[in-house]
Amino acid sequence: MARVTLKNLRHSYMPDPQGPDDFALKGLDVTWRDGGAYALLGPSGCGKSTLLNIISGLLTPSEGAILFDDEDVTQMTPDERHISQVFQFPVVYDTMTVRNNLAFPLKNRGVAPDRIKARVDEIAEMLEVTEMLDVRASNLSPDNKQKISMGRGLVRDDVNVIMFDEPLTVIDPHLKWKLRSKLKELHQRIKLTMIYVTHDQTEALTFADEVVVMQDGEVVQIGTPVELFERPQHTFVGHFIGSPGMNVLPCDAQGSHAIFEGHKVALEGAVTGHGGEVRLGIRPEHVRIGETGLPAQVIKISDVGRHFVVEVQIGESRLKVIVEGTAPTQGETVNVSFIPEKTRVYRNGWIATEVPK
Ligand code: ADP
Ligand code: MG
């Protein structure tokens, strides 16, 4: 087990990269705590697989270093790094039985036969594939093959880190939830550093103690699910996490207020910085419809079961409001207010209000 540190990591797939656009990773400084359960979350193409392949040693970064505890492993081979990596699509030996597939990573490292058997049985039980142990892998369905692939990643107990690269893509939806909770359970038992890559916020938030959010080759925030929800450091995080995501609205900033559609709006703290593109960020959960506030017109109401998502128009802006209990009626004029402690401005995407005392 190890703490993994990425130092000023940059990577380009081009032989002669020029500007930032030529880099798939644009300068990452991240520390993954020993024993942590992490999710690496971001849209397709943001650099998640590139990052995993650099940690495992399949790729050498253009610049920067990777440390396991205090040891620089940047030039080490994948094998020397003692890492398990589970890929998006199954990697199994078709001609071998399930048992031999699971045993392979252990046999390869000269683990004693009785120890191998115990470990394979344990992993098989966890993944509910015990009855398939003597089946040839070629006869398995795609999701069972992927389960075996995950099992091969989990079977070694001498690894520094286990990494999963969108492992549930080919898995049936109802099985997904089950496997994810199994992984979480396993993590709680063995406390190995795990990095789970996904583009799905639900997967990330249910698996991880901490989520690393990436956008376009950069880390935009690292935090617990609660931190990402409560205080997004970037509009991207606010929008990407939450259902629906944070409202991001054009505004001006003035002292410790925002001017939104001609109205003065109180913020969590004083505004920092100058210039750039200024936006008001407020989650639908933190907007109230009541007796006082900005006049707004109700445009649309969606009943999503637990509550209503109400879309309102204020001047030129549209925003979403989560309403518990009774919903207003369409076309009605209502008053809308923002909880000041949850209302922030963002400058060029980044949070630009001071933390309240
Ligand atoms: P993700 O896993 O988040 O979907 P990737 O790490 O696969 O993202 O890709 C990040 C960027 O690097 C993308 O723009 C992708 O097109 C590019 N890329 C990935 N692999 C290669 C490769 N082998 N050669 C060239 N460009 C690549
Ligand atoms: Mg990928």
Side-chain angles (χ1 to χ4, degrees), residues 56-254:
S56 66
L58 293 174
L59 263 181
T60 307
S62 314
E63 291 169 35
I66 304 114
L67 275 69
F68 286 1
D69 292 329
D70 295 319
E71 187 181 14
D72 190 325
V73 300
T74 317
Q75 302 305 325
M76 283 188 189
T77 64
D79 215 38
E80 290 168 328
R81 297 190 192 191
H82 302 288
I83 278 191
S84 277
Q85 190 170 5
V86 176
F87 299 92
Q88 196 166 359
F89 298 101
V91 180
V92 293
Y93 296 104
D94 267 339
T95 56
M96 288 186 191
T97 60
V98 167
R99 179 182 296 283
N100 285 336
N101 263 287
L102 292 176
F104 193 78
L106 301 178
K107 269 191 189 149
N108 228 4
R109 284 169 184 84
V111 177
D114 55 337
R115 175 81 194 118
I116 294 181
K117 184 173 185 319
R119 203 55 201 154
V120 167
D121 286 346
E122 187 186 349
I123 294 295
E125 195 174 323
M126 187 199 117
L127 293 169
E128 296 176 16
V129 296
T130 306
E131 73 281 10
M132 295 171 211
L133 278 173
D134 297 311
V135 174
R136 224 185 247 258
S138 57
N139 295 329
L140 299 177
S141 65
D143 55 1
N144 279 327
K145 277 192 183 174
Q146 183 63 352
K147 274 196 188 177
I148 305 311
S149 213
M150 288 173 76
R152 286 161 48 88
L154 295 167
V155 77
R156 286 176 64 190
D157 55 7
D158 62 339
V159 293
N160 287 312
V161 186
I162 306 184
M163 305 194 295
F164 302 90
D165 194 350
E166 314 217 26
L168 304 180
T169 310
V170 295
I171 303 271
D172 209 60
H174 75 272
L175 236 184
K176 264 188 191 177
W177 183 83
K178 207 159 136 186
L179 281 179
R180 208 168 55 226
S181 29
K182 291 234 174 219
L183 282 182
K184 177 107 194 144
E185 210 180 285
L186 184 83
H187 178 263
Q188 274 155 359
R189 215 171 67 221
I190 62 174
K191 291 283 176 204
L192 214 61
T193 313
M194 286 191 187
I195 304 178
Y196 185 100
V197 170
T198 177
H199 61 267
D200 177 337
Q201 59 157 319
T202 313
E203 280 200 0
L205 301 178
T206 50
F207 173 75
D209 303 331
E210 264 189 289
V211 183
V212 177
V213 186
M214 277 184 75
Q215 183 205 21
D216 198 15
E218 288 180 290
V219 169
V220 284
Q221 187 167 2
I222 302 175
T224 64
V226 171
E227 285 165 349
L228 298 179
F229 183 83
E230 285 295 325
R231 200 163 186 275
Q233 295 295 300
H234 194 280
T235 50
F236 176 79
V237 177
H239 199 76
F240 199 67
I241 289 173
S243 179
M246 183 171 80
N247 295 295
V248 179
L249 308 160
C251 73
D252 288 318
Q254 213 174 72

Side-chain angles (χ1 to χ4, degrees), residues 257-277:
H257 289 85
I259 307 295
F260 168 63
E261 296 293 346
H263 305 275
K264 203 168 164 183
V265 172
L267 301 170
E268 67 167 0
V271 176
T272 59
H274 299 280
E277 186 188 85

Side-chain angles (χ1 to χ4, degrees), residues 13 24 43-51 166:
Y13 286 102
S44 177
C46 73
K48 304 181 296 297
S49 294
T50 303
L51 182 55
E166 314 217 26

